[in-house]
Amino acid sequence: MLRGALGGVAIARFGREAVVGAVRATLAGVRPAVLAGAEAPDAEAVADRAMAALERAEQPSLRPVFNLTGVVLHTNLGRAVLAEAAVAAACGAMRSAATLEFSLADGGRGERDDHVRALLCELTGAEDAIAVNNNAAALVLALAALGAGRETVVSRGELIEIGGAFRLPAIMASAGTRLREVGTTNRTHPRDYAEAIGPDTALLMKVHTSNFLVQGFTSEVAPAEVARIAHAAGLPMVDDLGSGTLVDLARFGLKRERTVQDAVRDGADIVTFSGDKLLGGPQAGFIIGRRDLVQRCAKHPLKRALRVDKIRLAALEATLKLYRNPATLAARLPTLRSLTRPLAETQQAATRLAPTLAAWAGCAAEPAPCESQIGSGALPLETLPSFAVRLAGTDALAARLRALPRPVIGRLHDGALWLDLRCLEDEAGFIANLNAAGTPA
Ligand SMILES: *Cc1c(COP(=O)(O)O)cnc(C)c1O
């Protein structure tokens, strides 16, 4: 069989060891049935199965998909889709040596944060800035550098769990700072912060309650007020914005979210935020603010463990540069482009694609209004009116869409499968992808 035509092709493509392994595994797979009396498959059938297994194993595990879930910044689907400028910059950095820590001015050593520091300062109004692996890392580093062995004061209403293992008390424990909770779940007052300050206090912290909202009888202390209380005691105030945005989203017709510039202006000494949430860049976290404090973070031994590589720094620099021209931002930054997609466009796309999808799926498919979410804890209760193709199918249809060459990920809701078209830009590619798999018999 290995000497057959298919065997030759397979060996050239996958190597002898892999092909022999696949044939043995295929034979081992059919042996029990044959021993139980089933008819043995012929050599050609075994070769076909082995080839199919080899092709499956060849597919990448991390694959591009169509995100039609209606969640724009979907953490499980990799959050922000990068701008073309960022993709090009990352590819350039990958393909060759780069000035990661090298100064072209004098030929001496440079610093990797130099590539984004000036841009971040220009865009946010901060004195200094560094980038690390993600915002969780930014928090751990800031707390370790500024609060280790001492107390960090936080409102009980802000002790959040974001998802997975990200729980604020656990993050603080791993950074070696002692959590000093103040106020209650629903109400925290200025005096709660002031009364908690003692000889062991290292800093006061505000945390964006990214994925929930406390309603009813509530009060929280504004960041500017927390900063004022901290400064009166000679302490720094850290503001974890979570998503963070560098532009006033109201300018793009979205709900206004406090910006990073607002946090700096409100007196935070350190502000932390993510690179791949509303900012629309690669996974990263930023620590910006007062120079002496940012430098303490930069010089902490953990910084080395949490630093970003040349690929992401290149993508970050290119992404941040797009913010210099807010007028073209919504066209060039995919995250913002998706968030601001006009309802009429998604409706037209749904009307165009519904018949194609109905024919492909063999079931009813209709344009239907739906609500998209921003995702990643940005503006948690805010939804955006959008249009989907609603397919009269559930789990089996969802599985067929996931089995396409480029898997299509929708959302099961109300006994139907919804494909929210907000994030679909390549409609021709989407249709070609459906046809590549052929229609079922
Ligand atoms: C998302 C979030 C984080 C974690 O950010 P990552 O970039 O995912 O590590 C931290 N704090 C808040 C408030 C967040 O919303």
Side-chain angles (χ1 to χ4, degrees):
M1 174 191 330
L2 288 184
R3 282 183 294 274
L6 194 55
V9 171
I11 287 168
R13 193 164 147 207
F14 301 106
R16 173 167 279 278
E17 279 84 0
V19 173
V20 170
V23 171
R24 285 204 178 121
T26 303
L27 290 173
V30 299
R31 191 165 293 123
V34 173
L35 289 179
E39 199 187 326
D42 62 12
E44 202 180 326
V46 172
D48 283 347
R49 278 190 224 179
M51 192 71 175
L54 287 162
E55 272 168 357
R56 271 196 306 277
E58 192 73 352
Q59 278 216 333
S61 165
L62 181 67
R63 288 166 66 190
V65 299
F66 285 104
N67 172 14
L68 305 190
T69 60
V71 181
V72 176
L73 294 167
H74 197 299
T75 296
N76 298 352
L77 299 180
R79 291 193 184 160
V81 171
L82 296 200
E84 280 310 317
V87 173
C91 286
M94 280 193 277
R95 285 210 185 87
S96 87
T99 57
L100 181 60
E101 292 186 351
F102 185 84
S103 162
L104 285 175
D106 60 13
R109 194 169 187 287
E111 241 196 87
R112 71 178 63 209
D113 286 307
D114 285 350
H115 303 292
V116 289
R117 173 180 290 114
L119 265 166
L120 283 165
C121 292
E122 169 194 322
L123 294 168
T124 64
E127 281 176 13
D128 202 354
I130 58 173
V132 287
N133 182 57
N134 55 14
N135 191 33
L139 262 184
V140 170
L141 179 54
L143 291 171
L146 309 176
R150 297 200 290 148
E151 284 182 357
T152 294
V153 180
V154 189
S155 162
R156 286 200 168 86
E158 296 171 8
L159 293 175
I160 54 169
E161 171 177 311
I162 301 270
F166 187 87
R167 289 178 142 190
L168 199 66
I171 290 269
M172 294 176 77
S174 72
T177 188
R178 287 196 304 281
L179 168 60
R180 176 74 193 260
E181 303 175 31
V182 298
T184 60
T185 307
N186 58 328
R187 285 170 77 84
T188 302
H189 305 287
R191 64 169 184 279
D192 295 324
Y193 287 97
E195 286 166 6
I197 294 174
D200 255 6
T201 311
L203 58 104
L204 270 53
M205 182 159 81
K206 278 290 282 183
V207 183
H208 190 289
T209 53
S210 300
N211 49 10
F212 72 101
L213 206 66
V214 185
Q215 281 182 323
F217 188 55
T218 66
S219 71
E220 67 164 320
V221 185
E225 178 73 359
V226 178
R228 204 190 51 71
I229 297 165
H231 297 162
L235 297 169
M237 186 275 207
V238 173
D239 195 346
D240 175 27
L241 287 183
S243 182
T245 171
L246 296 172
V247 285
D248 181 355
L249 294 175
R251 179 187 177 134
F252 302 97
L254 298 163
K255 186 162 178 290
R256 187 173 177 4
E257 163 94 346
R258 210 162 141 256
T259 63
V260 180
Q261 296 88 320
D262 291 336
V264 172
R265 213 176 297 124
D266 282 344
D269 301 281
I270 289 288
V271 183
T272 58
F273 57 104
S274 283
D276 56 351
K277 293 187 181 173
L278 281 174
L279 194 131
Q283 181 190 300
F286 303 105
I287 300 176
I288 67 156
R290 235 171 74 189
R291 181 162 299 123
D292 59 327
L293 301 178
V294 172
Q295 281 307 308
R296 261 161 72 191
C297 299
K299 295 196 169 77
H300 191 280
L302 265 180
K303 169 64 165 53
R304 175 68 168 74
L306 302 174
R307 71 188 187 182
V308 275
D309 65 294
K310 64 172 180 174
I311 305 167
R312 277 195 281 162
L313 275 169
L316 273 178
E317 182 187 357
T319 305
L320 290 169
K321 281 204 170 123
L322 298 178
Y323 281 87
R324 282 184 163 158
N325 188 355
T328 57
L329 194 61
R332 292 155 99 190
L333 195 70
T335 297
L336 201 54
R337 195 157 70 219
S338 291
L339 291 176
T340 57
R341 188 123 188 246
L343 181 63
E345 255 186 42
T346 57
Q347 182 169 18
Q348 284 152 15
T351 307
R352 276 194 303 270
L353 286 173
T356 312
L357 279 161
W360 179 83
C363 68
E366 281 158 3
C370 64
E371 297 286 327
S372 314
Q373 291 175 358
I374 296 173
S376 286
L379 302 169
L381 301 188
E382 193 64 6
T383 56
L384 306 166
S386 180
F387 258 85
V389 174
R390 187 182 58 215
L391 289 144
T394 54
D395 295 347
L397 183 57
R400 267 183 68 207
L401 284 162
R402 285 199 309 274
L404 286 168
R406 179 160 169 182
V408 173
I409 318 294
R411 185 164 60 99
L412 290 167
H413 170 69
D414 243 356
L417 182 65
W418 297 67
L419 303 179
D420 184 333
L421 300 176
R422 171 175 298 278
C423 295
L424 180 63
E425 296 199 333
D426 180 12
E427 225 174 284
F430 178 80
I431 293 168
N433 184 53
L434 293 176
N435 292 335
T439 45

